[in-house]
């Protein structure tokens, strides 16, 4: 299930990145089109001025201004769409990090408890800092008392590996892994 969830998270990230890239390409395309239209209008305006046709020049000025306004609106819309895509991508990434941090904490906690149960059976009073076998003396059910020492050791390793695996999406997790 965890691998499936990780794959789903990676797919979601890729989909968001693809969407963001698509929006950025659309923005660039709109910018190029608006620039091309602006150049056309500027050439038209120059021709009209050369003819000294004041009325046509004023109309061309208005058309150029309208083109500039349209370009500004298109750029603002494309920018807003790109920013929204980036925000969705950021939120998805944060959700993934939160889920992985929770997965790490849960598995680390389980591994810690199982190792504590193992040490209560296999360690010495001096190393453990408390009387060995105190859990059994108190009638506590432990992973070792329920599953046996070998299965407890296997489970401790499994949960430790799962905890370390959950750190995979974090860039600077190496110091934590060394603990």
């Amino acid at each position: 299930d965890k691998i499936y969830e990780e794959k789903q998270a990676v797919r979601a990230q890729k989909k968001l990145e693809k969407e963001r890239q698509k929006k950025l390409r659309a923005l660039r395309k709109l910018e190029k089109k608006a620039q091309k239209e602006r150049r056309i209008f500027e050439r038209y305006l120059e021709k009209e001025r050369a003819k000294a046709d004041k009325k046509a020049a004023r109309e061309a000025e208005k058309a150029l201004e309208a083109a500039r306004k349209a370009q500004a609106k298109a750029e603002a819309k494309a920018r807003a769409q790109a920013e929204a895509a980036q925000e969705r991508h950021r939120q998805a990434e944060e959700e993934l990090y939160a889920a992985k941090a929770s997965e790490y904490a849960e598995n680390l906690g389980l591994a810690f408890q199982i190792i504590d149960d193992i040490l209560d059976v296999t360690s010495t009073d001096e190393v453990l800092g408390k009387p060995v076998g105190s859990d059994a003396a108190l009638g506590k059910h432990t992973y070792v008392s329920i599953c046996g020492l070998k299965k407890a050791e296997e489970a401790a390793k499994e949960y430790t590996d799962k905890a370390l695996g959950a750190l995979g999406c974090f860039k600077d997790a190496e110091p934590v892994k060394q603990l």
Side-chain angles (χ1 to χ4, degrees), residues 104 108 160-179:
Y104 168 75
L108 183 65
T160 300
D161 291 344
K162 284 181 178 180
L164 293 173
L167 294 175
C169 69
F170 295 96
K171 294 175 185 168
D172 300 326
E174 198 55 40
V176 175
K177 289 180 180 180
Q178 297 304 316
L179 295 175

Side-chain angles (χ1 to χ4, degrees), residues 100-149:
K100 289 299 181 179
S102 179
E103 181 182 338
Y104 168 75
E106 179 181 334
N107 285 300
L108 183 65
L110 289 168
F112 180 87
Q113 185 58 54
I114 294 168
I115 291 168
D116 183 63
D117 293 348
I118 292 169
L119 290 174
D120 191 56
V121 173
T122 62
S123 189
T124 64
D125 292 353
E126 296 79 29
V127 172
L128 198 55
K130 65 178 185 175
V132 172
S134 62
D135 289 340
L138 294 172
K140 291 183 179 180
H141 293 289
T142 66
Y143 207 94
V144 175
S145 69
I146 294 171
C147 299
L149 182 60

Side-chain angles (χ1 to χ4, degrees), residues 62-95:
K62 288 178 184 177
L64 180 58
E65 186 59 30
R68 286 182 180 142
K69 286 179 182 178
Q71 177 186 5
K73 283 182 182 179
E75 287 174 354
K77 183 178 179 180
R79 213 174 4 263
Q81 289 173 341
E83 288 171 0
Q86 285 176 328
E87 179 60 19
R88 285 191 302 275
H89 177 74
R90 186 193 62 74
Q91 287 174 350
E93 194 172 62
E94 282 183 9
E95 288 172 9

